[in-house]
Amino acid sequence: MATALIILAAGQGTRMNSDLPKVLHPLGAAPLLHHAMRAGAALEPERTIVVVGHGGDRVRKAALAYDETAEIVVQDEQLGTGHAVAQALPLLAGFDGRVVVLFGDTPFIRAETLEKLAASTADVTVLGFHNHDRPQRYGRLVVENGELTRIVEFKDATPAEREITLINSGVVACDAGILSDLVAGLTNDNAAGEYYLTGIVAIARARGLSTAAETCPEEETLGIDTRASLAAAEVIFQTRARAEAQENGVTLTAPETVFFALDTVIGRDTVIAPNVVFGPGVTVESEAEILAFCHLEGCHISRGARVGPFARLRPGAELAEDVHVGNFVEIKNAILDEGVKVGHLTYLGDAHVGEHTNIGAGTVTCNYDGVMKHRTEIGARAFIGSDTMLVAPVKIGAGALTGSGSVITEDVPDDAVALGRAQQVVKPGLAKKLFEKLNSSKAKRQKEAE
Ligand code: UD1
């Protein structure tokens, strides 16, 4: 059956105490909203509707950055989860399928759980979890004679209802047409004066429709509403990401010191040493090696490449097979062809380096003139001497060589040697004379001071 997702992301998230809308706070280097969208995407929905409100423009942009086909609907006033869903439903007029409602601030729902929910045959299915500590704030699933009859919010619950340990996660699945009818029947006659989505369960029962509760581990339904819960979620995210990487055949020497992003992809038999941080947009092929203390973001590392220790790859760094990038090297928006070696203390930005070229220690592509960025092109099998300043825009031909310490401001043809440094002058015996002079004046001063 076709599925549509409605993701609620209009809330302010007051308890985050932030100007940033709650769903844009980062978890695994991606906005919380992307986690919910990714979880929902496992259902292969035909339609994805995101309800935005607080910080609407920014949330809209983030939603579209994840899925450009997502439809955005604005909830001007946050009058409750039922009201939020009501804003999305007109877009689904004529949609003949199952609707799954998710919260944008609930990042850990697993695909299997959503599939179970979407496949449920009850008219309304709600996802709950068991918690014997009876947490405050959450709604309770009221089950009578084995059937879910209603959901009561904590604020509205009697002391006996507050004792219920089956808790509402907020995730709901329902056929589109039925959901529209049920939501239309909601009122705001409750302690919060809100249109509660949870009210649809009792309305469904009153209309003779079937209702059911599915359950999942509480961790999957963890919602983020404070900085502390965000930090706790980061721990859960990283623990999961590390375990997944290991299951996929990646060696993590010290897993607890490696930090992944939501979209990190790493191939089999790649080895990751301690203290490596993956920002967004990193893909590493198989059999690569990332040594200790690397920071990687928006880059691609091919099979057999070796990076680090202490390397920084920034967006647009593309390392072909068997490239070696060593310590204290920064690479940005640069393509390094197969077998390039850039071992030490180097910055390559806005550059292309041909295959098997060697970049000496201390090389800098001087890519910025204070106003604009310029490119450096280096051919294959070239040799860039240590401490070469490549003042871009500049081209170094294939097989060319630059002398150490050169400042290269003009293009160098293929197979040429370029020297851009002062001529060396050698004065025989002068050092000895200088030291004798200095030592004698030091001795004279010491004598005068006595
Ligand atoms: C909701 C449930 C509660 C459940 C809890 C689990 C209702 C009435 N209550 O309560 O039973 O135990 O989630 O976390 O549904 N939102 C909007 N527009 C609104 C209101 C909310 O988009 O007008 C969005 C929020 O951005 C958030 C989600 O809906 O992503 C949940 O809202 P929140 O206010 O956190 O719901 P709870 O009161 O926690």
Side-chain angles (χ1 to χ4, degrees), residues 178-237:
I178 295 175
L179 184 61
S180 282
D181 289 346
L182 296 175
V183 166
L186 292 174
T187 64
N188 63 353
D189 181 18
N190 52 53
E194 286 185 4
Y195 295 89
Y196 293 156
L197 180 61
T198 46
I200 64 171
V201 173
I203 300 174
R205 297 296 295 191
R207 294 185 188 174
L209 295 170
S210 60
T211 54
E214 293 283 355
T215 55
C216 69
E218 180 172 1
E219 181 183 289
E220 288 189 42
T221 71
L222 184 85
I224 312 299
D225 44 20
T226 59
R227 306 274 181 166
S229 58
L230 183 64
E234 188 70 41
V235 173
I236 295 170
F237 172 81

Side-chain angles (χ1 to χ4, degrees), residues 168-429:
N168 180 31
S169 74
V171 181
V172 174
C174 184
D175 287 354
I178 295 175
L179 184 61
S180 282
D181 289 346
L182 296 175
V183 166
L186 292 174
T187 64
N188 63 353
D189 181 18
N190 52 53
E194 286 185 4
Y195 295 89
Y196 293 156
L197 180 61
T198 46
I200 64 171
V201 173
I203 300 174
R205 297 296 295 191
R207 294 185 188 174
L209 295 170
S210 60
T211 54
E214 293 283 355
T215 55
C216 69
E218 180 172 1
E219 181 183 289
E220 288 189 42
T221 71
L222 184 85
I224 312 299
D225 44 20
T226 59
R227 306 274 181 166
S229 58
L230 183 64
E234 188 70 41
V235 173
I236 295 170
F237 172 81
Q238 295 300 343
T239 305
R240 271 193 185 187
R242 291 164 191 152
E244 256 170 50
Q246 288 169 319
E247 278 158 30
N248 292 338
V250 177
T251 293
L252 305 177
T253 317
E256 65 288 353
T257 67
V258 177
F259 293 84
F260 292 103
L262 178 63
D263 59 358
T264 307
V265 178
I266 302 181
R268 213 158 152 257
D269 289 323
T270 279
V271 177
I272 300 173
N275 296 299
V276 173
V277 176
F278 291 87
V282 179
T283 50
V284 184
E285 293 181 12
S286 36
E287 293 168 39
E289 202 179 347
I290 315 293
L291 303 180
F293 294 100
C294 289
H295 192 282
L296 315 173
E297 186 181 356
C299 61
H300 176 77
I301 298 169
S302 301
R303 194 183 184 90
R306 196 172 75 218
V307 177
F310 298 99
R312 181 174 183 206
L313 301 190
R314 292 172 52 205
E318 292 267 345
L319 276 48
E321 293 195 5
D322 300 321
V323 164
H324 289 179
V325 170
N327 40 277
F328 305 108
V329 171
E330 174 178 339
I331 299 180
K332 182 217 74 167
N333 189 29
I335 297 171
L336 275 53
D337 288 347
E338 190 176 332
V340 165
K341 290 193 172 49
V342 45
H344 343 258
L345 301 160
T346 289
Y347 171 62
L348 297 179
D350 304 307
H352 180 198
V353 183
E355 59 181 27
H356 299 292
T357 280
N358 188 87
I359 308 282
T363 296
V364 174
T365 53
C366 310
N367 60 330
Y368 185 48
D369 59 16
V371 180
M372 284 190 298
K373 298 280 171 68
H374 302 281
R375 289 192 61 78
T376 300
E377 305 281 343
I378 304 174
R381 292 171 207 282
F383 182 91
I384 305 299
S386 294
D387 192 28
T388 297
M389 298 292 119
L390 298 160
V391 182
V394 71
K395 285 187 184 154
I396 310 295
L401 180 153
T402 65
S404 295
S406 290
V407 177
I408 302 293
T409 54
E410 284 167 31
D411 290 354
V412 179
D414 290 357
D415 301 317
V417 168
L419 293 171
R421 63 190 189 200
Q423 186 78 42
Q424 183 170 323
V425 178
V426 178
K427 311 238 171 180

